[in-house]
Amino acid sequence: MALMITDECINCDVCEPECPNQAIYLGKEIYEIDPHKCTECVGHFDEPQCVQVCPVACIPVDPQHVESRETLWEKFHRLQSILPVAARQLDSAPGLAVKLVEK
C-alpha cells in the first residue's frame, strides 16, 4: 500500500528528505506522495520513515492504492533498476539535468 498525506499536514518539511524513493513532493497546498514511487520504505527500512518523523501523524495508508508486501518489494526492485540507469544518463549528458530542472 502506498501512503498518503492528509490535509492535516502543516508543511513542516521533515518528511520529504526522509523518503528513500523520492516519492514525497510539495503539492499545491501540502506535501503529497506519488503512489507509483512509494514502497512504504520496503527494501530500505523496517518502517516508513515519513511516518516516523511526522509531528502531526497525517500520513496514513492510502486506501486507493492497496498493495501487498510482495507488490511493494516488486516496486522497490523496479525503482532500484530504474534509478541507476537515470543517474548514468544524467552523468553522460549534464545539460539534460538542467533541462529536467527547468521543466
Side-chain angles (χ1 to χ4, degrees), residues 26-74:
L26 185 57
K28 290 183 180 183
E29 296 181 22
I30 60 172
Y31 278 89
E32 298 180 25
I33 297 177
D34 180 344
H36 299 102
K37 291 182 177 180
C38 179
T39 63
E40 294 186 42
C41 290
V42 167
H44 295 283
F45 301 100
D46 292 334
E47 297 181 38
Q49 298 301 286
C50 60
V51 173
Q52 295 297 311
V53 298
C54 181
V56 293
C58 66
I59 308 177
V61 171
D62 185 344
Q64 295 185 9
H65 294 95
V66 177
E67 299 170 290
S68 68
R69 188 152 179 90
E70 181 178 305
T71 303
L72 293 171
W73 268 106
E74 290 170 3

Side-chain angles (χ1 to χ4, degrees), residues 1 9 11 13 19 21 27 34 40 69 77 84 89 103:
M1 295 167 268
C9 176
N11 290 329
D13 302 317
C19 181
N21 296 319
D34 180 344
E40 294 186 42
R69 188 152 179 90
H77 288 294
Q89 288 174 341
K103 290 186 177 190

